[in-house]
Amino acid sequence: MKFRRSERLIDMTNYLLEHPQQLVSLTYFSERYGSAKSSISEDLAIIKETFEHRGIGTLQTVPGAAGGVKYQVRVTEEDARPIIDQICELIASPNRLLPGGYLYMTDILGDPMLVKQVGRLFASAFADKEIDVVMTVATKGIALAYAVANYLNVPVVIVRRDSKVTEGSTVSINYVSGSAKRIQTMVLSKRSLEQGSRVLVVDDFMKAGGTVNGMISMLEEFNAELVGIAVLVEAEKAEERLVDDYLSLVKLSDVDVKEKKINVSHGNYFTNKLVEGHS
């Protein structure tokens, strides 16, 4: 079947967006559309220019016989600011205050479009890091982890608080909860993470970082490498931060239950070196 150029551009764009971080050869596109490689190269140049102009991402060209093109998501600071502003505004709403000073976050983590945007922001920051797996802990961080993994085109690994029969044999570790200072347990199926994997840890909320630190300890059991940590919200007033190097979108500085005030600001997303090169 012979494609018109307009059809080819649309289909090629869709293919690249659905296969992020995947190297696609010019030969594949040439055979897919029955077109000369020179025509494919011209089409890719148009797509690359449009992606970068519209803030969709970029196309990396890999030269050589085994080369091709790879789509990577990129979010500029100009595009990222309104997204983080929106999240800050949502979290600052007094209506989400719960007894004990807790915050209701289910609506935010259940909003597919918002979670997708968060996934783009995190994936943009770590797109160059050769990540094999995105890891999170059950349950609230799962939606975020899948959103990030979708743009990085890698699987998700979920650490659980207790073992399930369907997980098979597991590795179990004890860790100290950063805020409550309690000994807690987390488990991970032996089949879910390959030895030596490069892992991005994603979580929805971080106080002192005890849970994240527990996941880092879990990685050691699999001889896996921690590539980075990304959290949606960090609590500013943590007595003893157990994790230093992380990326955050929102910083929660104070919760006044009596006055029903939630003070939030931007996290370190715009000051982190991971993001500077993509702004």
Side-chain angles (χ1 to χ4, degrees):
M1 178 181 175
K2 186 71 175 177
F3 283 75
R4 292 196 301 269
R5 189 174 199 185
S6 57
E7 294 174 326
R8 198 168 65 217
L9 281 167
I10 292 171
D11 190 72
M12 197 181 302
T13 299
N14 184 63
Y15 186 91
L16 290 166
L17 290 174
E18 288 188 343
H19 298 82
Q21 299 290 90
Q22 178 179 313
L23 186 63
V24 187
S25 69
L26 265 63
T27 300
Y28 174 81
F29 281 140
S30 178
E31 293 176 351
R32 181 181 177 95
Y33 306 117
S35 303
K37 288 185 180 180
S38 57
S39 298
I40 297 298
S41 295
E42 292 173 2
D43 292 346
L44 289 170
I46 294 172
I47 294 171
K48 176 181 172 67
E49 183 180 353
T50 305
F51 276 10
E52 293 176 354
H53 178 69
R54 301 297 300 173
I56 297 170
T58 188
L59 291 185
Q60 279 193 345
T61 302
V62 180
V69 293
K70 180 194 297 184
Y71 163 64
Q72 287 187 324
V73 63
R74 285 285 188 269
V75 183
T76 64
E77 182 174 334
E78 181 183 4
D79 290 334
R81 282 194 178 277
I83 299 171
I84 298 178
D85 285 341
Q86 180 189 4
I87 298 171
C88 286
E89 185 178 345
L90 287 169
I91 293 176
S93 171
N95 295 330
R96 65 180 61 257
L97 267 175
L98 297 172
Y102 293 99
L103 300 184
Y104 181 78
M105 296 284 290
T106 305
D107 60 329
I108 294 175
L109 297 172
D111 184 331
M113 292 306 298
L114 192 59
V115 168
K116 184 179 179 180
Q117 295 283 25
V118 173
R120 286 187 73 237
L121 294 179
F122 285 152
S124 175
F126 292 96
D128 295 327
K129 298 297 179 180
E130 295 183 10
I131 292 165
D132 299 317
V133 167
V134 172
M135 173 183 281
T136 193
V137 64
T139 57
K140 289 186 178 179
I142 293 177
L144 294 177
Y146 273 102
V148 179
N150 180 62
Y151 284 104
L152 295 177
N153 201 9
V154 298
V156 172
V157 168
I158 302 171
V159 179
R160 302 190 182 278
R161 306 290 185 183
D162 51 15
S163 60
K164 305 286 185 183
V165 176
T166 53
E167 296 286 288
S169 58
T170 59
V171 173
S172 174
I173 66 160
N174 294 326
Y175 70 100
V176 180
S177 169
S179 53
K181 301 293 183 183
R182 293 198 306 263
I183 300 294
Q184 297 187 343
T185 302
M186 59 173 59
V187 299
L188 183 62
S189 169
K190 289 183 178 179
R191 300 187 185 192
S192 62
L193 187 61
E194 292 186 11
Q195 295 283 320
S197 295
R198 292 172 56 83
V199 181
L200 171 63
V201 169
V202 173
D203 208 358
D204 64 310
F205 193 88
M206 183 172 73
K207 291 182 181 178
T211 302
V212 171
N213 207 36
M215 284 190 276
I216 295 173
S217 297
M218 180 67 78
L219 294 182
E220 294 173 0
E221 297 294 322
F222 288 83
N223 295 316
E225 180 181 350
L226 176 68
V227 178
I229 302 165
V231 296
L232 177 61
V233 181
E234 63 162 309
E236 184 179 37
K237 293 183 178 180
E239 293 181 6
E240 182 185 354
R241 183 79 73 193
L242 301 175
V243 178
D244 296 320
D245 191 10
Y246 58 88
L247 190 69
S248 67
L249 297 191
V250 178
K251 182 179 292 183
L252 177 66
S253 55
D254 187 48
V255 177
D256 190 328
V257 178
K258 186 176 180 181
E259 297 294 328
K260 291 189 175 182
K261 288 185 178 179
I262 303 169
N263 295 321
V264 297
S265 59
H266 287 182
N268 66 10
Y269 189 84
F270 298 115
T271 58
N272 195 293
K273 291 181 179 179
L274 282 168
V275 182
E276 288 176 2
H278 298 168
S279 299

